[in-house]
Amino acid sequence: MIKEIIETNHEKETWELGERIGRQAKPGDVFTLIGDLGVGKTVFTKGLAAGLDITEPVSSPTFTIVQVYDEGRLPFYHFDVYRIGDVEEMDEIGYEDYVYGDGVSLIEWANLIEEILPDHYTKILIEKDLEKGFDYRRISICEY
Protein backbone atom coordinates (compact mmCIF):
# COMPACT_ATOMS: atom_id res chain seq x y z
CA MET A 1 0.00 0.00 0.00
CA ILE A 2 1.49 3.33 -1.09
CA LYS A 3 1.92 5.64 1.86
CA GLU A 4 3.62 8.56 0.15
CA ILE A 5 5.17 9.66 -3.16
CA ILE A 6 7.85 12.33 -3.07
CA GLU A 7 9.48 14.03 -6.03
CA THR A 8 12.96 15.41 -5.56
CA ASN A 9 14.99 17.54 -7.93
CA HIS A 10 18.30 17.64 -6.12
CA GLU A 11 20.50 15.17 -4.27
CA LYS A 12 20.10 17.28 -1.11
CA GLU A 13 16.33 16.72 -1.14
CA THR A 14 16.81 12.95 -1.38
CA TRP A 15 19.25 13.11 1.55
CA GLU A 16 16.77 15.22 3.57
CA LEU A 17 13.99 12.68 2.96
CA GLY A 18 16.27 9.93 4.28
CA GLU A 19 17.08 12.09 7.31
CA ARG A 20 13.38 12.67 8.04
CA ILE A 21 12.68 8.93 7.87
CA GLY A 22 15.70 8.22 10.10
CA ARG A 23 14.44 10.71 12.72
CA GLN A 24 11.07 8.90 12.77
CA ALA A 25 12.56 5.38 12.84
CA LYS A 26 11.83 3.09 15.76
CA PRO A 27 13.59 -0.05 17.05
CA GLY A 28 12.87 -2.99 14.76
CA ASP A 29 12.01 -0.91 11.69
CA VAL A 30 13.02 -2.50 8.39
CA PHE A 31 13.34 -0.45 5.21
CA THR A 32 13.93 -1.94 1.79
CA LEU A 33 15.56 0.25 -0.82
CA ILE A 34 14.99 -0.51 -4.48
CA GLY A 35 16.35 1.37 -7.48
CA ASP A 36 18.70 1.11 -10.40
CA LEU A 37 22.40 1.88 -10.12
CA GLY A 38 22.98 5.60 -9.73
CA VAL A 39 19.49 6.64 -8.58
CA GLY A 40 20.63 7.88 -5.18
CA LYS A 41 20.29 4.89 -2.85
CA THR A 42 23.53 5.75 -1.06
CA VAL A 43 22.55 9.42 -0.77
CA PHE A 44 19.22 8.40 0.78
CA THR A 45 21.00 5.98 3.12
CA LYS A 46 23.43 8.66 4.31
CA GLY A 47 20.46 10.87 5.13
CA LEU A 48 18.74 8.08 7.03
CA ALA A 49 21.92 7.45 9.02
CA ALA A 50 22.12 11.18 9.86
CA GLY A 51 18.53 10.98 11.08
CA LEU A 52 19.67 8.22 13.44
CA ASP A 53 22.45 10.58 14.72
CA ILE A 54 25.21 8.54 13.10
CA THR A 55 28.18 10.77 12.36
CA GLU A 56 30.71 8.28 11.01
CA PRO A 57 31.05 7.98 7.22
CA VAL A 58 28.42 5.75 5.61
CA SER A 59 29.19 3.77 2.47
CA SER A 60 27.55 0.94 0.61
CA PRO A 61 28.60 -2.49 1.96
CA THR A 62 28.66 -4.03 -1.52
CA PHE A 63 31.36 -6.58 -0.73
CA THR A 64 30.73 -7.11 2.99
CA ILE A 65 26.92 -7.40 2.59
CA VAL A 66 26.22 -5.71 5.95
CA GLN A 67 27.72 -2.71 7.70
CA VAL A 68 26.84 -2.11 11.35
CA TYR A 69 26.74 1.38 12.87
CA ASP A 70 26.33 1.33 16.67
CA GLU A 71 27.05 4.92 17.60
CA GLY A 72 23.67 6.52 16.84
CA ARG A 73 20.34 6.83 18.59
CA LEU A 74 19.61 3.26 17.46
CA PRO A 75 21.88 0.61 15.94
CA PHE A 76 21.78 0.82 12.13
CA TYR A 77 22.23 -2.26 9.95
CA HIS A 78 22.91 -1.36 6.33
CA PHE A 79 22.67 -4.29 3.92
CA ASP A 80 23.59 -4.38 0.24
CA VAL A 81 22.51 -7.74 -1.16
CA TYR A 82 23.33 -6.98 -4.81
CA ARG A 83 26.01 -9.68 -4.89
CA ILE A 84 24.04 -12.35 -3.01
CA GLY A 85 24.00 -15.57 -5.01
CA ASP A 86 21.50 -17.40 -2.81
CA VAL A 87 19.32 -16.26 0.08
CA GLU A 88 20.96 -18.93 2.27
CA GLU A 89 24.04 -16.69 2.31
CA MET A 90 22.04 -14.31 4.49
CA ASP A 91 21.98 -16.91 7.30
CA GLU A 92 25.78 -16.90 7.29
CA ILE A 93 25.92 -13.20 8.18
CA GLY A 94 23.28 -13.41 10.92
CA TYR A 95 20.55 -11.68 8.91
CA GLU A 96 17.71 -12.59 11.30
CA ASP A 97 19.62 -11.32 14.35
CA TYR A 98 19.84 -7.90 12.71
CA VAL A 99 16.41 -7.68 11.08
CA TYR A 100 14.52 -8.98 14.10
CA GLY A 101 16.67 -7.05 16.59
CA ASP A 102 16.27 -3.67 18.23
CA GLY A 103 18.01 -1.63 15.56
CA VAL A 104 16.97 -0.18 12.22
CA SER A 105 17.67 -2.22 9.09
CA LEU A 106 17.96 -0.86 5.57
CA ILE A 107 18.30 -3.43 2.78
CA GLU A 108 19.43 -2.29 -0.67
CA TRP A 109 18.37 -4.53 -3.57
CA ALA A 110 15.88 -6.23 -1.23
CA ASN A 111 13.91 -7.53 -4.24
CA LEU A 112 16.66 -10.19 -4.49
CA ILE A 113 15.73 -11.64 -1.08
CA GLU A 114 11.98 -11.03 -0.97
CA GLU A 115 11.23 -14.52 0.30
CA ILE A 116 13.01 -13.85 3.61
CA LEU A 117 11.81 -10.30 4.28
CA PRO A 118 9.82 -9.86 7.49
CA ASP A 119 6.03 -9.63 7.36
CA HIS A 120 6.11 -5.87 8.02
CA TYR A 121 8.53 -3.48 6.36
CA THR A 122 8.66 -0.18 4.48
CA LYS A 123 9.60 -0.35 0.81
CA ILE A 124 11.31 2.69 -0.67
CA LEU A 125 11.51 2.76 -4.46
CA ILE A 126 13.65 5.42 -6.13
CA GLU A 127 13.15 6.02 -9.85
CA LYS A 128 14.65 8.44 -12.38
CA ASP A 129 12.74 10.16 -15.16
CA LEU A 130 15.23 11.86 -17.47
CA GLU A 131 12.41 13.68 -19.25
CA LYS A 132 11.90 15.62 -16.01
CA GLY A 133 15.62 16.35 -15.59
CA PHE A 134 18.86 14.61 -14.73
CA ASP A 135 18.43 15.11 -10.97
CA TYR A 136 14.71 14.33 -10.81
CA ARG A 137 13.73 11.37 -8.60
CA ARG A 138 10.31 9.86 -7.86
CA ILE A 139 10.42 8.18 -4.46
CA SER A 140 7.56 5.89 -3.50
CA ILE A 141 7.17 4.78 0.10
CA CYS A 142 4.97 1.72 0.65
CA GLU A 143 4.04 -0.05 3.88
CA TYR A 144 3.84 -3.84 3.93
Side-chain angles (χ1 to χ4, degrees):
M1 163 179 164
I2 294 181
K3 177 181 172 185
E4 189 175 5
I5 295 176
I6 297 100
E7 295 180 328
T8 65
N9 291 291
H10 191 276
E11 183 175 288
K12 182 176 187 271
E13 293 173 333
T14 300
W15 188 93
E16 288 170 347
L17 174 62
E19 182 183 31
R20 177 177 61 108
I21 291 172
R23 293 233 176 274
Q24 297 169 354
K26 301 176 301 305
D29 279 352
V30 175
F31 300 95
T32 65
L33 190 53
I34 311 293
D36 291 335
L37 292 170
V39 296
K41 292 186 300 294
T42 301
V43 169
F44 176 89
T45 302
K46 288 178 179 182
L48 191 141
L52 292 169
D53 298 327
I54 293 167
T55 57
E56 67 183 282
V58 173
S59 61
S60 190
T62 303
F63 296 101
T64 59
I65 302 173
V66 64
Q67 180 68 44
V68 177
Y69 302 91
D70 285 323
E71 65 154 56
R73 170 174 75 77
L74 294 167
F76 178 44
Y77 312 123
H78 179 199
F79 294 85
D80 183 333
V81 299
Y82 183 74
R83 289 184 169 32
I84 287 290
D86 190 298
V87 293
E88 291 174 9
E89 290 179 49
M90 298 302 286
D91 286 337
E92 296 171 17
I93 61 164
Y95 168 79
E96 288 188 1
D97 293 334
Y98 296 119
V99 170
Y100 296 104
D102 291 330
V104 173
S105 297
L106 181 133
I107 307 166
E108 293 187 44
W109 301 99
N111 52 308
L112 300 175
I113 61 164
E114 278 183 339
E115 61 266 34
I116 63 169
L117 291 176
D119 291 337
H120 302 287
Y121 62 92
T122 302
K123 176 182 175 181
I124 299 163
L125 172 65
I126 304 177
E127 301 170 290
K128 286 184 185 184
D129 184 344
L130 294 177
E131 290 181 10
K132 293 187 177 186
F134 181 77
D135 292 322
Y136 172 85
R137 300 293 185 269
R138 180 177 192 266
I139 304 171
S140 304
I141 301 173
C142 305
E143 298 283 337
Y144 290 91

